Amino acid sequence: MAGVEQATKIECSACAKVILCGEHAVVYGRPAIALPLPTLRAHARIEPDRRAFTIVAPDVGVTVSPWRHSRLTRNPLARAALAALELVGQQPPRATLTVTSDIPVGANLGSGAAVSVAIARAIAAYFNRALPPEEASRLAYEVEQLHHGSPSGIDNTVIAYEQPVWFARGKPLELLDAKLVAGLPLVIADTGIATPTRIPVGDVRAAWERDRERIEGYFDAIASLTHVAREALERGDLEQLGRAMNANHALLQQLGVSCPELDALCDAARSAGALGAKMSGGGRGGNMIALVRDATHAEVLREALLHAGAKRVFA
Ligand code: MEV
């Protein structure tokens, strides 16, 4: 049934994410743990307007007229909007959709998926339609495929559900108890290097094509650590979780997806007493995460990471 178009402004948002353990291996069917970052968000606002449906993203100086695009456009903003309109069975409204985001782009924090989910939520809400997380996730996955050819689906999932997830491709999704990670003292530091995920993902694919046995060995070792990390989370054993994070970083280095800047931030975090530190997400730039003892220690680490060259630190 067609929804009723809103006469007033609608605002929706979606969170950023980090991968606690298991990135890259998750593309090849191994499990990974991802956490939402509710304080960093992408926003979508729709206001009725007399002009034809327009999307504006003022932070990046982009204006898009989705009606000029086909449903299968490679423009991610238009693609998300057109997919959402199809989902709710509506034509483009006479309205302006404004997209803004606190999430740095290319920083492995899920900015693309968060923008898609925020757009989808806003369009559904504009037509008074509920958007279940599985539908928001499916829609964002479709757009993610434009960014890199073989996304595992973990980013769109954790962002659409806004809950910690245990994610294994092709297996039923497991939502982890939010209490397990509520208050988990993580510090996130941005190298300031924006790297599209498709680059490290493509390099891992090329290495895997060359030497499957060796690369599958890394994936299996990462999967074991992801299980260790989950058990540590469930027991509240931060020391053990930190060790699993350190070992995961070492394997990602061997896979070739870290970089000197990420390694330097991880080293600085450990020297400042972090229980564990690792790159998070695609790598070759973007962000690393460090596990600390408590909020006071997080402040110490913030200083150490800025000193070691982090462009931004989120605690
Ligand atoms: C990106 O956040 C995580 C990767 O494993 C890619 C993916 O799962 O699609 C690097």
Side-chain angles (χ1 to χ4, degrees), residues 96-110:
T96 298
L97 192 167
T98 306
V99 177
T100 54
S101 183
D102 321 322
I103 311 170
V105 176
N108 298 330
L109 292 173

Side-chain angles (χ1 to χ4, degrees), residues 17-19 22-28 32 34 108-110 141 144 148 150-156 158 167 169 197-198 200-201 204 252 257 279-283:
K17 66 87 193 135
V18 289
I19 309 272
E23 53 273 268
H24 287 288
V26 70
V27 176
Y28 297 80
N108 298 330
L109 292 173
Y141 183 76
E144 284 292 279
H148 77 93
S150 58
S152 64
I154 192 168
D155 288 12
N156 48 285
V158 64
F167 180 92
R169 211 170 182 171
T197 307
R198 75 184 139 71
V201 167
V204 171
L252 291 164
V257 292
M279 54 159 272
S280 178

Side-chain angles (χ1 to χ4, degrees), residues 282-305:
R284 297 277 174 70
N287 278 265
M288 54 76 69
I289 55 176
L291 183 66
V292 290
R293 288 174 202 285
D294 51 35
T296 314
H297 190 195
E299 274 314 304
V300 173
L301 220 73
R302 176 199 291 275
E303 291 307 315
L305 288 164

Side-chain angles (χ1 to χ4, degrees), residues 117-160:
V117 171
I119 288 176
R121 283 182 179 153
I123 288 180
Y126 191 78
F127 290 104
N128 287 308
R129 279 277 309 269
L131 185 69
E134 61 272 23
E135 285 186 11
S137 178
R138 206 175 306 121
L139 183 150
Y141 183 76
E142 180 188 324
V143 183
E144 284 292 279
Q145 285 173 303
L146 301 175
H147 298 299
H148 77 93
S150 58
S152 64
I154 192 168
D155 288 12
N156 48 285
T157 302
V158 64
I159 287 167

